[in-house]
Amino acid sequence: MSDQPDELRETVRRRYAAAARKVSEGGAACCGPRPVETGGDFGPALYGADERAALPAEAVAASLGCGNPVAVAGLREGERVLDLGCGGGIDVLLSARRVGPTGQVYGLDMTEEMLALARAGAERAGATNVEFLRGAVEAVPLPADTVDVVISNCVINLSVDKRAVFAEAFRVLRPGGRIGVSDVVADDALTAGQRAERGDHAGCLAGALSFAEYRRGLEAAGFAEVRITPTHPVADGMHSAVVRAVKPAGCDGPGAAADACCGVTACCTADERAVAPSTTVAEATAASGCGCRR
């Protein structure tokens, strides 16, 4: 298969469109929707029976994730949440129940077939605090400082530009906001070629970052308190993991880069640099004692 970004993205889109169509076709069967075929390390089995029972069957059947990000995101009443790559909407609907009627959940996906399933599921569930958006995780169609929490379930590994995904997650989060993501992560010792040997890009393996790469990517985007915790193996040397990080409360988001802050320019962004050439960013922020310190 070609490794050109546009072709990889289209391969991923086709796979998930086909999965959505399969679930839709199963919806006409007498026994309800049939789950998309996945291994034991992916899919609805990673959710509790009580969670699955409370949701439309289509949302459960379309689940292709490698974890349960809602269980680790610590969602609270009234929060605004963004689900990157929402698929059939299982995590959006679970999040909507947790944030309650005063909260709001956005589900973003590039696949119209999945969005159709998600919207139908939300209607069946009577969820009025959700909104589904079509778009790419590398270019989120929301203003800056919009949400309190970003979640995602085995989608960031599918992106062909993960740096852009991290930057967009940072941009749309309010200062003090957080991410709670489930994703596939590779051991640091595995090369890109070895990851590809374990599965293709659309299968959530070839495109996975290593633990060190994931941490560096999030920190370069401006995130602090990065924690990556493996939960279960999905291939030799590759794991489903929970990824948590925080947008520092001292960050004013895009636009703060124009002036020096905490001894640095482009405060809390990927372009952050120390004002004094002889000083590192870490030294400058530590000396200032402000909220941007890592």
Side-chain angles (χ1 to χ4, degrees):
M1 182 182 70
S2 170
D3 60 356
Q4 293 301 309
D6 289 346
E7 294 186 24
L8 284 174
R9 187 179 292 107
E10 177 58 18
T11 297
V12 170
R13 190 202 66 75
R14 286 198 302 266
R15 173 183 175 171
Y16 287 88
R21 286 193 294 271
K22 180 174 181 179
V23 171
S24 296
E25 292 163 1
C30 65
C31 299
R34 299 184 296 272
V36 175
E37 294 177 9
T38 61
D41 302 320
F42 296 84
L46 298 174
Y47 296 85
D50 56 335
E51 292 176 308
R52 299 195 302 269
L55 297 176
E58 291 83 358
V60 176
S63 174
L64 295 167
C66 58
N68 182 350
V70 179
V72 302
L75 301 182
R76 297 184 286 268
E77 188 86 15
E79 288 191 314
R80 298 169 73 87
V81 181
L82 168 64
D83 182 9
L84 296 175
C86 66
I90 186 170
D91 294 315
V92 170
L93 296 180
L94 289 172
S95 297
R97 292 164 62 90
R98 297 209 179 189
V99 301
T102 61
Q104 176 75 21
V105 185
Y106 300 97
L108 174 68
D109 206 277
M110 69 174 180
T111 308
E112 190 57 53
E113 291 87 347
M114 278 293 184
L115 287 172
L117 270 181
R119 291 181 178 119
E123 184 174 355
R124 290 189 187 93
T128 59
N129 59 341
V130 305
E131 181 179 351
F132 292 100
L133 309 169
R134 186 174 185 184
V137 294
E138 300 88 356
V140 178
L142 286 174
D145 305 332
T146 298
V147 299
D148 301 293
V149 189
V150 171
I151 65 172
S152 186
N153 196 351
C154 207
V155 170
I156 295 175
N157 66 79
L158 296 171
S159 171
V160 296
D161 188 353
K162 296 173 181 63
R163 179 177 179 178
V165 178
F166 296 148
E168 282 292 89
F170 190 88
R171 181 185 67 82
V172 300
L173 278 171
R174 295 170 176 168
R178 63 196 185 276
I179 64 171
V181 167
S182 293
D183 211 1
V184 173
V185 184
D187 285 344
D188 292 336
L190 289 185
T191 66
Q194 289 170 328
R195 295 171 216 175
E197 291 171 357
R198 285 153 173 77
D200 64 15
H201 190 97
C204 302
L205 296 179
L209 296 174
S210 70
F211 284 91
E213 290 166 344
Y214 220 117
R215 177 177 295 277
R216 286 197 299 268
L218 287 169
E219 290 176 344
F223 285 101
E225 301 178 36
V226 178
R227 291 172 291 163
I228 306 174
T229 307
T231 57
H232 60 271
V234 297
D236 183 23
M238 305 188 76
H239 316 266
S240 174
V242 172
V243 182
R244 299 181 179 93
V246 175
K247 179 175 180 175
C251 291
D252 293 324
D259 300 309
C261 163
C262 306
V264 300
T265 58
C267 179
C268 297
T269 74
D271 296 320
E272 189 177 50
R273 298 291 184 273
V275 173
S278 60
T279 305
T280 67
V281 167
E283 290 169 341
T285 55
S288 70
C290 78
C292 291
R293 184 176 60 195
R294 289 164 175 72

